[in-house]
Amino acid sequence: DTAVSQTPKYLVTQMGNDKSIKCEQNLGHDTMYWYKQDSKKFLKIMFSYNNKELIINETVPNRFSPKSPDKAHLNLHINSLELGDSAVYFCASSQDRREWGYTFGSGTRLTVV
Amino acid sequence: GNSVTQMEGPVTLSEEAFLTINCTYTATGYPSLFWYVQYPGEGLQLLLKATKADDKGSNKGFEATYRKETTSFHLEKGSVQVSDSAVYFCALSETWAGANSKLTFGKGITLSVRP
């Protein structure tokens, strides 16, 4: 049983297209996150949702729109893809206790050409 | 704001060598501290954690001690193996619990272990 699963694992698309990445967790966690990892491996939070409510939005362009239909799912939709969006996107989940850390998905490698 | 600083990499060691990866942090209050590991082509896995000053986290032969006086959480292993080759991230979680909490990561450091 995969705890946090993302699909697809790889995504290659052309500039200007719209794409979505899906994430599901079966851990019963209350909070889910999207992180972006750039080519230098630096990780930066993009969004967090708690029980379907947007909590953190870290100065991400409006082209990125998260959607949480229920607390087990957090999807990321990206409009008008740009070359600079190429990165690995990680979904994660946690309970609302700071000392428990996060459980990460295996990542989606997005390549915009 | 909160921040985590890791030593510059990459690091290349021979098998059975001693490993130290430095990590220092800036935070208000008393954060929880973590080390995550990312093996090639995979997501991040929690390696170890410490939630208060002087706590020692340990796992798979790795150790790190939460040092409030030096705001550090250095990762150590006495004898590295080729299978330890990965990217290592130091991270902190803000003092207060709840939905607004987030993990702040260091830049990560790539470790390569030669046979």
Side-chain angles (χ1 to χ4, degrees), chain A residues 24-49:
Chain A
E24 175 181 5
Q25 55 99 0
N26 61 6
L27 298 167
H29 287 170
D30 295 319
T31 307
M32 296 184 71
Y33 309 82
W34 279 108
Y35 275 80
K36 179 180 180 180
Q37 185 176 46
D38 63 23
S39 59
K40 296 184 178 180
K41 301 290 187 183
F42 185 65
L43 281 155
K44 185 170 170 55
I45 191 168
M46 300 173 69
F47 302 103
S48 77
Y49 268 74

Side-chain angles (χ1 to χ4, degrees), chain A residues 10-101:
Chain A
Y10 300 97
L11 186 53
V12 180
T13 187
Q14 291 187 327
M15 284 175 56
N17 284 350
D18 303 338
K19 290 293 179 185
S20 292
I21 305 171
K22 295 186 176 181
C23 179
E24 175 181 5
Q25 55 99 0
N26 61 6
L27 298 167
H29 287 170
D30 295 319
T31 307
M32 296 184 71
Y33 309 82
W34 279 108
Y35 275 80
K36 179 180 180 180
Q37 185 176 46
D38 63 23
S39 59
K40 296 184 178 180
K41 301 290 187 183
F42 185 65
L43 281 155
K44 185 170 170 55
I45 191 168
M46 300 173 69
F47 302 103
S48 77
Y49 268 74
N50 179 266
N51 280 318
K52 304 191 294 178
E53 180 184 354
L54 178 65
I55 301 297
I56 295 174
N57 182 342
E58 289 278 312
T59 60
V60 178
N62 291 338
R63 298 181 296 103
F64 290 79
S65 54
K67 283 189 171 54
S68 182
D70 55 61
K71 79 170 192 176
H73 295 83
L74 180 61
N75 304 323
L76 183 65
H77 188 76
I78 315 170
N79 291 326
S80 303
L81 278 155
E82 300 177 357
L83 292 176
D85 297 332
S86 296
V88 181
Y89 292 85
F90 285 101
C91 178
S93 70
S94 74
Q95 279 291 33
D96 291 342
R97 291 181 63 88
R98 60 180 176 89
E99 63 267 28
W100 290 356

